Amino acid sequence: MLNIAFYGKSGVGKSTITRLATEFFEKKGLSVKNVKLAYPLYQLQNQFYEIAGVHCNFFDQNQSLLEDIARHLRMINPEVLINDFNKRYNNTIADIVINDDIRDTTVDYPHFCMMNFHFIKIVCEENKRLARLSNRKDLNTIFNSKTTDCIDDIKADFIIDTSYESEEVLKSKLESFLEDLWSKYDSDR
């Protein structure tokens, strides 16, 4: 499998870039699976909302609650999220695995490096990022999360700036990089 991690702060455009990458690979006839580190956090968040008698969709984001759950789980077992990720990753049958929620540089990042992930950093100007976050329909928003304080410690193989360019221009730049990445991976197999 070709492993790709899109990373960056909330609001920079990771979901958009993930969608564009998925569309690119699927047009080539390849299968793609997005395996999230935070999947168990969403499971627990949904249990909180269910117990509270409030509806939320599975991947709705109460960022404050998700971060609290992650912090407490990691206090109990620092490898809890990567262990759960590995179980789902190992059961994945896909040509391409994408992750779009890596933040931890202590446990998760070194593990992703050992799994030969390619790291694509998504950035944008801070005022645009904050505006995007304000316009999202998150259940709760953290504009400056401590969970991304060390995100610059992740070494990028490629950087995409989503500040000003249209989706078509971003798509073109991303596809050029992904085409090269896939060609190299495919020739090395």
Side-chain angles (χ1 to χ4, degrees):
M1 286 184 280
L2 175 62
N3 299 323
I4 301 171
F6 295 111
Y7 71 99
K9 294 181 177 182
S10 293
V12 295
K14 294 184 302 292
S15 295
T16 299
I17 297 298
T18 297
R19 177 179 51 78
L20 293 173
T22 300
E23 290 170 0
F24 168 76
F25 286 121
E26 287 177 345
K27 283 180 189 171
K28 294 176 82 55
L30 300 167
S31 58
V32 181
K33 178 72 174 171
N34 186 350
V35 182
K36 291 186 174 291
L37 280 158
Y39 188 83
L41 305 180
Y42 287 104
Q43 289 176 309
L44 291 169
Q45 172 188 255
N46 278 273
Q47 289 180 3
F48 272 77
Y49 273 80
E50 185 178 315
I51 290 168
V54 177
H55 171 77
C56 77
N57 295 316
F58 190 81
F59 285 113
D60 284 351
Q61 292 185 27
N62 179 327
Q63 292 178 346
S64 181
L65 178 58
L66 290 167
E67 288 186 13
D68 283 346
I69 294 169
R71 184 171 43 82
H72 287 283
L73 281 176
R74 287 188 191 272
M75 284 176 13
I76 296 167
N77 176 2
E79 296 184 353
V80 63
L81 296 180
I82 198 68
N83 289 344
D84 183 79
F85 175 89
N86 283 335
K87 288 177 194 169
R88 289 177 289 113
Y89 176 89
N90 290 333
N91 288 321
T92 298
I93 301 171
D95 299 304
I96 316 290
V97 169
I98 293 177
N99 173 271
D100 64 0
D101 64 355
I102 186 168
R103 295 177 172 206
D104 173 72
T105 57
T106 306
V107 175
D108 302 339
Y109 174 55
H111 191 83
F112 272 31
C113 288
M114 288 188 299
M115 296 174 72
N116 296 316
F117 267 84
H118 299 272
F119 297 93
I120 302 174
K121 184 176 186 177
I122 315 301
V123 299
C124 76
E125 289 187 359
E126 187 66 3
N127 61 334
K128 294 219 178 254
R129 184 185 78 82
L130 295 175
R132 289 175 186 166
L133 275 177
S134 294
N135 291 327
R136 288 191 348 189
K137 304 282 190 255
D138 289 342
L139 301 168
N140 172 275
T141 302
I142 297 176
F143 290 95
N144 293 298
S145 171
K146 291 180 180 174
T147 65
T148 56
D149 283 351
C150 295
I151 206 151
D152 290 333
D153 293 344
I154 298 174
K155 183 181 177 298
D157 297 303
F158 189 67
I159 298 173
I160 298 176
D161 188 334
T162 64
S163 297
Y164 295 106
E165 297 175 321
S166 70
E167 189 171 300
E168 282 305 309
V169 173
L170 292 173
K171 181 179 176 181
S172 175
K173 288 181 178 182
L174 176 65
E175 288 182 353
S176 175
F177 173 77
L178 294 176
E179 184 66 51
D180 290 345
L181 187 63
W182 176 254
S183 293
K184 182 176 179 342
Y185 171 80
D186 198 33
S187 69
D188 290 344
R189 287 197 286 172

